[in-house]
Amino acid sequence: MFFSMGPLMSLKPSDETVVNPREKSWVDSVYASLTPDQRLGQLFMVAAYSNKDERHFREIDTLVIRYGIGGVMFMQGGPVRQAKLTNRFQRAAKVPMLVAMDAEWGLDMRLDSSMHFARQMTLGALDDDKYIYLMGREIALKMKRLGVSVSFSPVIDVNVNPANPVIGSRSFGESKEEVTRRGVAYIKGLQDHGVIAVAKHFPGHGDTDTDSHLALPVVPHSLKRLTDVELYPFKKSFEAGVMGVMVAHLYVPQIDSTRNLATTLSRPLVTGLLREKMKYKGLVFTDALNMKGVSSYFAPGEVDLRALMAGNDVLLFPEDVPTAITKIKEGIAKGQVSKVELEQHVRKILHAKYWAGLNKYKPVVLANLKEDMDRPLSNVLQEELYEHSVTVVENADSLLPFKDLDTLRIASVAIGAPKGNAFQQTLGNYAPVTSLAIANRFAPDSAFTNIIPKLANSNVVVISLHNMNLTPSKDFGVGVGTRAFIQYLQERTNKKVVVVVMGNPYSLKFFEKSKWLVCGYEDNPVAQELVPQALFGARAAKGRLPVTASTRYKVGRGIATPSLHRLKYGTPESAGMDSKTLNQIDNIALEAIAYAATPGCQVLVVKNGTVVFNKSYGYYTYDKVKPVTNNTLYDLASITKVAATLQAIMFLKDQGKINLDAKVMTYLPELKGTNKEGLVLRDVLTHQAGLLAGLPHWQKTLASVKTKDLYYASAQTDYYPNQVTPEIYSAKAIEDSVWTWTLRSKMLPRRKDGKGYDYTYSDLDFYMLKRLAEKMLNQPLDEFLAQNFYEPLGLSTMGYNPLLNHSREVIAPTEDDTYFRHNLIWGTVHDQGAAMLGGVAGHAGLFSNANDLAILLQMDLQNGNYGGRKYFNSKVVTEFSKKQFKSSRRGLGWDKPEPDGHGPTSDLAPGSTFGHTGFTGTAAWVDPENKLIYIFLSNRVYPDAGNNKLVKYNIRTRIHDVVYKAIIPKT
């Protein structure tokens, strides 16, 4: 393994132990200072709850002060409350106590407001044990911060019984070798970082069908079988230096046939097998002594005495400490408990306390506790755990990951979760998805029947199973109706049905007829976000089944699927950015809204191919009725130039169909004989061809009532096909008029040296480029882009004329136009020239949300390689995004930073950055050097296009500054 375990203290009996003099001196002095009763108190570890009342806290106080208990095991509560109680109890203790927690998958197993990492069966599916070590480290660091020094983990039971009601997903799996390897990784992660690991449940609880919390399970196997399977991980963990082991409440007749005697209370097992035969010298903990596996047969006090007689060191969760101490003292008097062994138990506990640093005990510092517990790196690890566990079990014809999105019509049916859950939201980031849900896992047949007609237009159906349970006897929460519904779709339709189990892998036995089957193991927001990313190839699927679910789905099965380099969605730190710094964006965005620079906005940041920040702020309008969401569409304005027209031009260059240094007249012969016949394509792309900045073409169409009637009508007809607004339609011939006016427009004065023109940003350049592209492609621009870029990329929101595909309710309005259209512009393009042309223009007209724009720009950043498809065969984007002339900052079509600063980007952006801004209050910048994308979308022109506060307060570039400041320097 890549990691190594630090030196561990040997917990042998004192007459065999070689320890440093300081440790020995501390243990000797503490032991000598204790009365006989206080020494007995060291054996007990009681349960404490930080969510209970003062009466409970006083009961623990009494046990600490009067009986000198050696430790507490914290159960339910919260981190801050627990820290305060830890300080209270430790302050009262004569000898600092061992503080323990049962936190197999993270502190949230017991505490609210805490991190859930992953259950051990999820870990059993991982392709790399290093993540288990790192999880152990993260849990240890959190525990140490809370003053906890003992973790009752890992579970190293080999779960060979699918009907096991108590271990199941708490086990790494059914392979003894895999369980061992992963268990040792977990142990080292904990102990390398100062927390005592406790392997459980000795001698092995994996092949039982009874819950020891409720009764006494029987393990009928021979000693040979036990040695070969159940004991194997324990033996290896002992060799690896695990400092603690927990003995289970089991009945193992081959080791001790005493009727109704749990292994916890069996001397042949604890002393004979564990201590003598297996030579284990570490701390031995009983399982909780209030569990029915022991408490049903022995009274409080009696059970504690028997546990001590068996050879255990620490008596966990005693029901009655005073009675137990009395019983043990009686046992000592009767010779049932050896005084020599009793001293060894106490000294071992004290040695463990020294190792845990309790010889230099310090109270838990309450300041910044929450911040320290919420380590960003923990979120990164959590993400990695679920990413690396996703297991593709069936994948006919290599459908997964989804590739040709323009051929797939995907529907999602979430069973057991409400519509719009994180799973479906993430699916929607990659493609247009019809999302349906059946919230009740055991819904009547009619609920499933009603769904079927809604799937008519789909050829792929992703059925995700949520809110499952861990109980084999209850079919893991998979209802008969669910199974019948899936079977119907598989057998009676021609749809490709992808079944995704967000729960226990044993449930896979219900889906053996599936051609496409995926296991996500758990059903939490992180897992729900990671599994869809694997389905679309943003992340590779590498997991393998840790258990055998059926004769078809055996342990180790897993079909690796590749990454298609689509955008991932993850934590800032996973991509080398600081989340706290990025959160400063909130203040700037809210400032913009407070100062009425814009009623709302979207901000998205991509780093290293991962969306690390995607937030929406404010409302559609200042009346604060409809809030902006990440699904809101914005008018991109001049970003259309690069996100639409320029993509077509780059495509033509990539295909070798245009020469950048040729005259535009080569492709548009109608320029011959005009003042534009000498224009060179490279000059047009860099806005230094001498074209005017713009022309108010719309004014010519309103020159008189007769002219207006010639160009516009209130109803759509063949003569007036182009929608200007839902109430206005323009004539088909208007495009020819606009082109004629453009050709006849004046040119700017040449430079004084007569060698060309100075840089003048112009919309007319892109009127011309659109015309050129459509001529060379022999296809309307919007159709070409949809077929060759937007649909294959899965862009569900990007396109012209959004009202053709979307409700107005998902589109942010722009200006209240009082001079041309005399209406609130909502769902149609703001730019007047583009509106005249029916919303499709080279310089404006494109709508999108930030996510889809990010996908397009990520494709450009990757020079056309995205989602398993090559949109460009050459590095044409790199060529176009380079600065072309000394006299201008511009690339070919792309805008760029101002070399001397104070330009449209952050001054921290390198010169390789390219992108564009838009009149409606938009900006999109790509930094290939840092693999960074920044997008800001707003409708600052609502209700008045004269609002320039976005520029006045420098909102977009200040946010861009924060993005750069959030990059964590490489070390």
Side-chain angles (χ1 to χ4, degrees):
M1 296 179 183
F2 83 103
F3 46 81
S4 63
M5 182 169 64
L8 298 179
M9 181 201 74
S10 173
L11 293 177
K12 298 178 182 179
S14 57
D15 59 347
E16 302 176 21
T17 303
V18 178
V19 295
N20 70 64
R22 290 182 180 177
E23 179 177 341
K24 184 177 185 303
S25 174
W26 185 83
V27 170
D28 288 345
S29 64
V30 172
Y31 185 83
S33 72
L34 299 175
T35 66
D37 282 2
Q38 289 172 337
R39 291 169 186 168
L40 290 182
Q42 290 295 302
L43 306 174
F44 294 93
M45 181 172 279
V46 304
Y49 299 76
S50 61
N51 65 347
K52 288 193 175 182
D53 58 14
E54 181 63 22
R55 179 179 177 181
H56 169 71
F57 304 155
R58 288 176 180 172
E59 289 173 353
I60 305 297
D61 287 339
T62 299
L63 295 176
V64 172
I65 297 168
R66 183 176 300 175
Y67 298 98
I69 58 173
V72 292
M73 170 190 179
F74 273 105
M75 304 294 280
Q76 288 82 15
V80 175
R81 287 171 288 166
Q82 178 171 311
K84 290 178 179 178
L85 280 181
T86 297
N87 289 345
R88 170 174 170 168
F89 297 152
Q90 293 283 35
R91 189 164 54 246
K94 180 176 180 179
V95 180
M97 295 182 293
L98 287 174
V99 177
M101 286 189 70
D102 203 353
E104 296 165 17
W105 51 80
L107 271 62
D108 90 311
M109 184 173 174
R110 298 300 177 193
L111 302 182
D112 59 29
S113 309
S114 298
M115 171 74 71
H116 175 101
F117 286 95
R119 285 177 170 266
Q120 288 188 198
M121 193 160 285
T122 305
L123 303 178
L126 293 175
D127 65 314
D128 195 331
D129 296 341
K130 75 177 182 182
Y131 297 107
I132 301 171
Y133 174 87
L134 293 173
M135 179 177 130
R137 180 190 72 175
E138 288 300 308
I139 292 174
L141 293 173
K142 292 177 190 296
M143 285 183 157
K144 291 292 285 184
R145 183 64 181 86
L146 271 183
V148 178
S149 48
V150 179
S151 179
F152 292 132
S153 60
V155 172
I156 56 173
D157 300 320
V158 183
N159 202 80
V160 293
N161 189 340
N164 196 320
V166 64
I167 303 302
S169 65
R170 297 169 64 195
S171 167
F172 290 111
E174 70 178 55
S175 163
K176 67 179 183 182
E177 292 84 5
E178 294 291 326
V179 168
T180 298
R181 252 191 21 252
R182 293 162 199 271
V184 169
Y186 195 161
I187 289 164
K188 290 184 176 182
L190 289 170
Q191 294 187 174
D192 282 359
H193 297 88
V195 170
I196 296 169
V198 179
K200 62 187 185 185
H201 305 83
F202 187 85
H205 209 322
D207 193 6
T208 61
D209 56 11
T210 304
D211 187 344
S212 54
H213 293 85
L214 308 175
L216 185 61
V218 178
V219 179
H221 302 307
S222 66
L223 188 57
K224 181 180 182 305
R225 152 60 195 260
L226 290 170
T227 301
D228 185 53
V229 179
E230 278 77 10
L231 293 175
Y232 180 88
F234 288 97
K235 180 177 182 295
K236 295 298 182 181
S237 72
F238 298 165
E239 293 172 0
V242 68
M243 296 177 66
V245 66
M246 180 180 288
V247 182
H249 302 319
L250 303 171
Y251 179 57
V252 186
Q254 292 298 320
I255 296 176
D256 191 336
S257 59
T258 306
R259 184 178 177 84
N260 295 330
L261 187 70
T263 45
T264 328
L265 312 184
S266 168
R267 189 168 181 85
L269 183 128
V270 178
T271 298
L273 176 62
L274 177 59
R275 292 191 178 284
E276 295 175 354
K277 186 171 183 178
M278 298 185 74
K279 302 185 184 307
Y280 183 64
K281 304 301 180 183
L283 276 178
V284 180
F285 293 79
T286 69
D287 206 340
L289 295 177
N290 68 334
M291 292 167 60
K292 297 300 181 183
V294 289
S295 65
S296 295
Y297 303 103
F298 301 98
E302 180 68 23
V303 70
D304 305 83
L305 171 61
R306 286 178 174 267
L308 193 59
M309 290 167 58
N312 294 284
D313 297 309
V314 181
L315 308 178
L316 183 64
F317 216 139
E319 292 190 275
D320 187 339
V321 171
T323 300
I325 289 177
T326 299
K327 281 287 185 181
I328 292 171
K329 289 167 71 173
E330 291 174 0
I332 294 171
K334 294 177 182 178
Q336 295 172 303
V337 177
S338 162
K339 291 183 179 181
V340 172
E341 287 187 0
L342 184 63
E343 180 176 346
Q344 290 174 352
H345 294 317
V346 176
R347 285 184 175 274
K348 283 170 65 177
I349 291 167
L350 295 177
H351 276 291
K353 291 184 176 185
Y354 186 93
W355 184 91
L358 294 177
N359 60 309
K360 297 179 180 179
Y361 165 75
K362 294 180 180 179
V364 179
V365 177
L366 300 180
N368 301 317
L369 178 63
K370 186 179 184 303
E371 291 79 2
D372 294 343
M373 294 292 290
D374 296 337
R375 283 169 46 86
L377 287 178
S378 295
N379 296 317
V380 176
L381 175 62
Q382 182 189 43
E383 182 180 300
E384 290 172 332
L385 294 174
Y386 289 103
E387 174 183 357
H388 287 265
S389 66
V390 176
T391 304
V392 177
V393 183
E394 294 282 6
N395 191 17
D397 304 320
S398 299
L399 174 67
L400 302 175
F402 299 131
K403 299 176 186 69
D404 300 319
L405 301 185
D406 47 344
T407 68
L408 303 181
R409 300 182 305 279
I410 302 172
S412 164
V413 181
I415 300 176
K419 183 179 176 181
N421 53 77
F423 185 94
Q424 292 182 317
Q425 287 179 14
T426 308
L427 288 177
N429 286 336
Y430 292 101
V433 175
T434 301
S435 293
L436 305 165
I438 301 174
N440 181 1
R441 291 177 292 119
F442 302 101
D445 292 345
S446 59
F448 294 98
T449 303
N450 292 338
I451 286 282
I452 294 172
K454 299 175 183 178
L455 303 174
N457 294 327
S458 63
N459 56 13
V460 174
V461 181
V462 178
I463 300 178
S464 53
L465 306 182
H466 302 270
N467 196 27
M468 297 169 63
N469 63 48
L470 301 172
T471 308
S473 62
K474 295 182 179 179
D475 292 340
F476 305 103
V478 181
V480 174
T482 296
R483 284 177 255 169
F485 171 66
I486 292 172
Q487 186 173 350
Y488 173 85
L489 292 178
Q490 291 171 335
E491 297 178 356
R492 304 286 295 278
T493 72
N494 60 358
K495 302 180 190 303
K496 296 176 179 179
V497 182
V498 180
V499 179
V500 180
V501 174
M502 300 298 293
N504 197 300
Y506 284 119
S507 67
L508 296 175
K509 66 182 180 180
F510 298 128
F511 309 110
E512 286 197 323
K513 294 184 179 180
S514 297
K515 292 183 179 180
W516 300 277
L517 183 60
V518 178
C519 189
Y521 298 95
E522 298 186 49
D523 188 32
N524 54 56
V526 178
Q528 287 186 21
E529 291 170 3
L530 267 295
V531 174
Q533 295 185 51
L535 296 182
F536 279 94
R539 300 175 189 262
K542 303 176 183 179
R544 294 186 177 275
L545 291 180
V547 293
T548 295
S550 67
T551 54
R552 181 175 178 83
Y553 301 139
K554 294 187 177 181
V555 62
R557 184 182 180 96
I559 302 167
T561 61
S563 165
L564 299 181
H565 306 292
R566 287 195 174 106
L567 279 182
K568 297 186 285 188
Y569 298 83
T571 58
E573 281 72 16
S574 70
M577 300 194 81
D578 180 66
S579 53
K580 290 184 178 179
T581 303
L582 279 177
N583 286 337
Q584 294 174 16
I585 292 172
D586 293 351
N587 295 331
I588 302 174
L590 294 175
E591 174 191 328
I593 294 166
Y595 290 163
T598 179
C601 61
Q602 293 175 355
V603 180
L604 185 145
V605 179
V606 179
K607 180 73 166 71
N608 297 338
T610 301
V611 176
V612 297
F613 190 95
N614 189 12
K615 282 189 179 182
S616 294
Y617 305 86
Y619 296 82
Y620 281 34
T621 61
Y622 292 109
D623 58 12
K624 299 183 178 180
V625 173
K626 188 169 181 61
V628 177
T629 74
N630 290 349
N631 295 319
T632 301
L633 279 68
Y634 279 94
D635 182 336
L636 299 184
S638 284
I639 290 178
T640 302
K641 293 180 172 71
V642 295
T645 311
L646 192 63
Q647 302 297 319
I649 296 295
M650 289 192 295
F651 175 86
L652 289 169
K653 174 63 171 64
D654 183 64
Q655 296 291 315
K657 294 184 177 180
I658 57 174
N659 180 346
L660 298 178
D661 294 307
K663 291 183 178 180
V664 179
M665 183 178 65
T666 307
Y667 311 107
L668 296 175
E670 60 264 42
L671 268 63
K672 187 174 183 179
T674 72
N675 58 357
K676 297 172 181 60
E677 66 178 359
L679 299 186
V680 175
L681 184 54
R682 188 181 298 274
D683 292 334
V684 173
L685 282 163
T686 51
H687 297 275
Q688 53 187 57
L691 295 175
L692 297 174
L695 289 171
H697 292 313
W698 63 276
Q699 291 181 354
K700 292 188 178 185
T701 65
L702 303 180
S704 67
V705 173
K706 184 177 180 180
T707 306
K708 180 178 178 183
D709 291 342
L710 177 66
Y711 284 111
Y712 303 107
S714 59
Q716 189 175 36
T717 65
D718 290 343
Y719 188 84
Y720 297 100
N722 304 317
Q723 186 184 66
V724 179
T725 72
E727 298 80 24
I728 304 172
Y729 296 85
S730 66
K732 188 175 183 179
I734 200 168
E735 185 168 355
D736 289 336
S737 297
V738 169
W739 179 240
T740 299
W741 296 334
T742 301
L743 286 181
R744 293 175 179 175
S745 63
K746 295 180 180 180
M747 297 288 288
L748 293 169
R750 285 183 173 273
R751 291 201 301 258
K752 292 180 180 180
D753 60 9
K755 297 178 180 179
Y757 299 90
D758 289 326
Y759 161 72
T760 300
Y761 177 73
S762 171
D763 282 348
L764 298 188
D765 295 66
F766 278 81
Y767 278 82
M768 191 167 289
L769 290 169
K770 173 179 179 286
R771 184 89 171 187
L772 184 155
E774 292 184 331
K775 178 77 175 291
M776 298 301 296
L777 295 167
N778 194 30
Q779 188 178 14
L781 180 64
D782 55 336
E783 291 181 11
F784 169 79
L785 291 168
Q787 293 172 13
N788 293 276
F789 287 92
Y790 303 159
E791 291 175 6
L793 285 167
L795 309 185
S796 60
T797 66
M798 182 172 284
Y800 290 96
N801 289 319
L803 291 176
L804 295 175
N805 300 299
H806 302 279
S807 163
R808 193 172 73 161
E809 297 304 309
V810 300
I811 306 169
T814 52
E815 186 180 13
D816 188 0
D817 183 351
T818 60
Y819 48 88
F820 172 28
R821 289 152 286 189
H822 300 282
N823 209 335
L824 174 64
I825 308 306
W826 191 353
T828 56
V829 63
H830 173 263
D831 181 87
Q832 299 90 346
M836 292 167 58
L837 299 172
V840 182
H843 67 292
L846 201 63
F847 285 72
S848 180
N849 67 2
N851 181 76
D852 280 359
L853 180 55
I855 291 174
L856 180 75
L857 294 178
Q858 184 68 29
M859 180 275 293
D860 285 332
L861 178 58
Q862 295 170 184
N863 264 301
N865 293 306
Y866 191 89
R869 180 180 291 200
K870 294 188 76 173
Y871 294 85
F872 304 123
N873 295 311
S874 63
K875 293 186 177 180
V876 65
V877 181
T878 299
E879 178 184 359
F880 271 61
S881 62
K882 288 180 179 176
K883 188 174 183 288
Q884 299 294 306
F885 301 102
K886 290 182 179 179
S887 59
S888 166
R889 70 174 188 251
R890 290 270 172 172
L892 295 168
W894 298 103
D895 197 1
K896 295 181 67 62
E898 194 66 62
D900 297 329
H902 306 292
T905 70
S906 166
D907 288 349
L908 300 173
S912 59
T913 300
F914 60 94
H916 218 281
T917 57
F919 183 78
T920 52
T922 58
W925 296 105
V926 181
D927 172 358
E929 185 176 317
N930 291 294
K931 296 181 180 179
L932 184 73
I933 296 172
Y934 159 58
I935 293 171
F936 180 95
L937 302 184
S938 77
N939 56 337
R940 67 99 192 164
V941 294
Y942 175 88
D944 180 3
N947 178 6
N948 67 349
K949 293 179 182 177
L950 209 62
V951 173
K952 178 180 178 182
Y953 298 121
N954 212 19
I955 298 298
R956 290 174 290 187
T957 50
R958 284 168 57 201
I959 292 177
H960 207 186
D961 288 341
V962 170
V963 171
Y964 277 101
K965 291 173 183 177
I967 297 175
I968 300 171
K970 294 181 180 179
T971 56

